Amino acid sequence: MGCRITTSKEELIRWVVEQTAPQPQVRLDFTGRAHGRGAWTHPVSKCVQQTVHRKGFARAFRAAVDTGAVLQDFAAYEDRLAPSQRTGRDKESGSEI
Ligand SMILES: [Zn+2]
């Protein structure tokens, strides 16, 4: 949605709209099974940021939506993936000394 990276559908992350006041809010669908219309992006911060910046979510959901929680949700998503990656980075930076 936000960029030109090509990838298979299984690798994308799904976003949904939560009907909150005063404006519906875009949230990451961690389960991938939430009801309603979904929007997909790559699980890459650059792609998510571009989608917010280019108002891709408003286009996808055909509504004015609040994207204030998008980057926060994506950070939480990355944290879940982090343990193995973080260990790898630590080892690499250690060997450079
Ligand atoms: Zn993308």
Side-chain angles (χ1 to χ4, degrees):
M1 190 160 70
C3 69
R4 290 188 180 127
I5 302 166
T6 53
T7 184
S8 65
K9 189 109 178 173
E10 300 83 65
E11 290 172 310
L12 301 176
I13 49 175
R14 185 168 186 259
W15 301 87
V16 290
V17 166
E18 223 171 68
Q19 297 301 328
T20 49
Q23 213 173 29
Q25 196 170 38
V26 180
R27 302 302 303 257
L28 181 57
D29 176 13
F30 285 100
T31 65
R33 276 175 272 154
H35 290 291
R37 173 183 275 269
W40 303 82
T41 69
H42 297 109
V44 179
S45 61
K46 197 179 163 192
C47 178
V48 175
Q49 282 166 9
Q50 279 182 359
T51 305
V52 171
H53 184 68
R54 295 176 182 171
K55 304 194 189 309
F57 287 111
R59 276 203 305 275
F61 294 114
R62 292 174 194 160
V65 288
D66 179 2
T67 53
V70 165
L71 295 179
Q72 185 186 311
D73 276 4
F74 184 71
Y77 168 81
E78 281 193 312
D79 276 352
R80 290 188 181 195
L81 302 180
S84 59
Q85 291 173 359
R86 209 172 272 154
T87 306
R89 271 203 296 273
D90 287 346
K91 275 178 194 158
E92 265 180 62
S93 61
S95 66
E96 280 171 20
I97 297 169

